[in-house]
Amino acid sequence: MVSLQVKISSPSTDVKNYINLRTDDWLIGYNSLEFNKIYRCRFRELTEFINAQGVYPKVILAEPEPIAFLATFIAAVVAKCPVFLCNPNWVKAEWKQVFKIVQPDIIFGSLAESYPSYIQTNSVISTPGASIMIPTGGSSGNLRFVIHTWETLTASVQGFQEYFNIKQVNSFCTLPLYHVSGLMQFMRSFTTGGKLAIFPFKAVERGEFPNINPSEFFISLVPTQLQRLLNCSKTTRWLSQFQTVLLGGAPAWLELLQQARIHQIRLAPTYGMTETASQIATLKPDDFLTGNNSYGQVLPHAKIKVYDEDERELGVNKLGIIAIKANSLALGYYGLYNPEFPLKTLKSDDLGYLDERGYLTIVGRNSYKIITGGENVYPAEVEAAIRSTGLVGDVAVIGLADNHWGQVVTAVYVPHSPDVSISNLQIALHEKLSKFKQPKYWVAVESLPRNAQGKLNFKQLEKIAEKFIISS
């Protein structure tokens, strides 16, 4: 049994007050009374454990049903238990990582059928009290848990409210609740007195819509979801009715933004990450519709500065590394957290700049930068050029090691049709990219290794490309 050797503190706002205040039917598609029933049951289970064992158990939350997931999440927060949000559909290899990292005391969800509900452990790991651990795989695919608290999550909500000048936030959620992009939609609605509609994306894609007024709702999508909805006139018309369509999770390509603009979709591209409890910069829909392709301005709860590689702060329109301070910033990473030195500034891996109006533009990842023959190549620029040819359905550009050039530009792509050839692509790029930026290797695949949020697994991508080159 793990005894958490930290001071347990309550959230600044008593979460139970939200439970008591939410007597309305705020969960669209689900029974709000059922939410309260599950909450009370799970809270009782947790408090009985605490009273019997004298410790705050580490809780794995892997509930597949949204109502049970959210009610259990709130119960764990109110009971001041460290809770680890998990994907119920992770496979054995991923669960092996989770158990090694977490060493849980209690498991809620279908996973409990395969593993003991109580796992005895001997290690002592310090975490902040009532902490909320949100998973992130990054680009490597290796799982980590980002440490948040009720305070950091509600700071993000407050920044969102102030930025959009709105009191109640109604959210339409098609994204996973264990991911920060889904969880924050719940947090915005739950804590502001708004409504939350949870609906499977596949149903939406089929044209099955709940009985709501979209003009009263924010919907959050990743670029691949937006692309699929824009492929159908019925879903496009429905999407155009929303108050705001938040777009994040992965970079959107220019053609997709232009397509959304043509259909008058009130798009709001966002910049943020798990560590910042979702967005810290957002382009407002009115700016988007006038042709702005940036990530907009920084939300009031955050600050962004741009530095060069020697950590000197840069001025406006100067490309550099993005550094973030925010009230919503995570405390650190589970297993690496030092309570004496919590994370105060996040130096990201993103390259970008702020213009004279404070609008943020991101050009790509610093670590993804390809140096070929002494020239810098940014994958995002090459990917945008390839997409603009209209010959690919999806593409990712990486750098592979090369004895002569250092690295070579490599494109892994999904052709739009079987008759798309490499020569077609090379001819189409001739006037779009300098020669050193054009891919040396082209690897055609049926699909790219992306997760539910549209993020690429670069380890898998490199393996695919290297295997192709070796066999060719």
Side-chain angles (χ1 to χ4, degrees):
M1 189 65 59
V2 176
S3 177
L4 301 178
Q5 298 184 338
V6 293
K7 181 181 179 182
I8 302 295
S9 58
S10 299
S12 58
T13 304
D14 188 349
V15 189
K16 288 183 284 188
N17 287 340
Y18 292 113
I19 294 285
N20 295 332
L21 289 171
R22 296 314 308 256
T23 57
D24 57 317
D25 194 18
W26 59 279
L27 270 172
I28 297 172
Y30 294 89
N31 189 328
S32 301
L33 295 177
E34 183 67 15
F35 172 92
N36 291 337
K37 180 181 177 181
I38 297 172
Y39 159 75
R40 289 192 296 269
C41 178
R42 292 291 167 83
F43 179 71
R44 184 170 60 251
E45 288 181 54
L46 291 170
T47 52
E48 286 175 355
F49 183 100
I50 294 166
N51 292 333
Q53 303 294 336
V55 295
Y56 292 87
K58 288 183 289 183
V59 176
I60 277 184
L61 175 50
E63 287 282 5
E65 289 299 319
I67 190 89
F69 182 97
L70 295 173
T72 305
F73 167 71
I74 290 296
V77 172
V78 175
K80 306 175 188 176
C81 297
V83 56
F84 294 78
L85 310 187
C86 296
N87 179 357
N89 298 314
W90 279 335
V91 297
K92 187 175 181 180
E94 291 163 316
W95 281 118
K96 188 176 180 180
Q97 289 185 56
V98 171
F99 279 98
K100 184 178 180 180
I101 296 168
V102 179
Q103 299 180 329
D105 300 305
I106 296 179
I107 303 169
F108 287 116
S110 55
L111 184 68
E113 299 172 3
S114 304
Y115 295 88
S117 296
Y118 300 91
I119 298 177
Q120 302 298 319
T121 59
N122 297 316
S123 62
V124 177
I125 301 176
S126 177
T127 65
S131 49
I132 298 160
M133 265 62 74
I134 305 176
T136 178
S139 59
S140 67
N142 294 323
L143 286 169
R144 291 193 297 176
F145 286 94
V146 176
I147 306 172
H148 275 287
T149 64
W150 189 259
E151 288 86 355
T152 61
L153 299 186
T154 52
S156 176
V157 173
Q158 290 160 7
F160 185 95
Q161 285 179 283
E162 187 175 342
Y163 189 71
F164 284 100
N165 191 27
I166 188 170
K167 290 184 178 180
Q168 290 187 334
V169 182
N170 298 325
S171 298
F172 189 98
C173 182
T174 65
L175 295 170
L177 293 169
Y178 63 83
H179 190 271
V180 71
S181 57
L183 181 69
M184 289 311 302
Q185 291 179 75
F186 161 72
M187 289 293 298
R188 292 178 200 130
S189 298
F190 183 68
T191 61
T192 66
K195 295 184 180 296
L196 176 65
I198 305 174
F199 217 68
F201 179 75
K202 288 183 178 179
V204 171
E205 193 176 15
R206 291 193 300 266
E208 300 172 12
F209 312 132
N211 185 23
I212 64 165
N213 181 355
S215 66
E216 298 175 351
F217 281 76
F218 288 79
I219 185 173
S220 295
L221 299 173
V222 299
T224 52
Q225 289 179 323
L226 176 61
Q227 182 184 41
R228 287 158 67 176
L229 294 183
L230 291 179
N231 286 338
C232 170
S233 58
K234 181 179 180 181
T235 51
T236 298
R237 286 193 301 272
W238 177 75
L239 199 60
S240 67
Q241 299 173 48
F242 273 86
Q243 175 180 344
T244 302
V245 179
L246 300 167
L247 187 69
W253 47 99
L254 183 59
E255 288 70 30
L256 181 65
L257 299 179
Q258 290 173 336
Q259 188 181 1
R261 219 172 259 126
I262 289 170
H263 293 289
Q264 291 294 294
I265 307 296
R266 292 185 54 77
L267 208 63
T270 69
Y271 173 74
M273 56 203 74
T274 306
E275 288 84 348
T276 61
S278 73
Q279 61 197 267
I280 52 166
T282 301
L283 183 67
K284 291 182 178 178
D286 289 343
D287 284 336
F288 169 77
L289 291 173
T290 60
N292 192 318
N293 289 323
S294 75
Y295 282 104
Q297 295 174 308
V298 181
L299 273 63
H301 69 285
K303 291 182 180 179
I304 286 178
K305 291 187 177 181
V306 182
Y307 294 91
D308 64 15
E309 292 185 353
D310 295 321
E311 298 191 357
R312 293 173 297 198
E313 187 175 352
L314 301 175
V316 297
N317 295 314
K318 298 292 185 180
L319 181 66
I321 298 167
I322 303 296
I324 302 160
K325 286 188 176 182
N327 296 335
S328 63
L329 192 61
L331 279 67
Y333 300 95
Y334 187 77
L336 302 174
Y337 173 70
N338 185 340
E340 299 297 324
F341 300 99
L343 186 62
K344 293 182 178 180
T345 300
L346 178 65
K347 183 180 177 183
S348 77
D349 189 39
D350 295 313
L351 289 168
Y353 60 90
L354 291 164
D355 69 12
E356 56 280 346
R357 295 185 299 164
Y359 284 72
L360 175 68
T361 295
I362 301 293
V363 302
R365 290 288 185 93
N366 187 46
S367 60
Y368 298 168
K369 179 176 65 179
I370 302 167
I371 304 176
T372 179
E375 299 280 2
N376 291 340
V377 178
Y378 296 100
E381 178 189 5
V382 182
E383 289 166 358
I386 294 171
R387 288 183 187 277
S388 71
T389 67
L391 298 174
V392 303
D394 200 359
V395 64
V397 170
I398 58 174
L400 293 183
D402 182 83
N403 291 334
H404 182 68
W405 297 104
Q407 287 179 298
V408 289
V409 181
T410 304
V412 184
Y413 69 102
V414 179
H416 252 319
S417 62
D419 59 346
V420 172
S421 67
I422 293 175
S423 60
N424 295 149
L425 288 161
Q426 290 172 329
I427 292 169
L429 285 180
H430 182 67
E431 298 294 331
K432 295 178 181 288
L433 290 172
S434 299
K435 190 173 181 180
F436 71 88
K437 296 179 181 179
Q438 296 181 24
K440 177 177 175 60
Y441 296 120
W442 293 86
V443 183
V445 295
E446 291 184 0
S447 63
L448 297 184
R450 295 185 183 275
N451 66 12
Q453 287 71 49
K455 291 183 179 179
L456 287 162
N457 185 319
F458 280 89
K459 279 189 175 180
Q460 289 185 29
L461 200 64
E462 288 173 1
K463 287 180 181 178
I464 291 169
E466 288 169 354
K467 183 178 179 181
F468 169 83
I469 291 167
I470 291 170
S471 62
S472 62

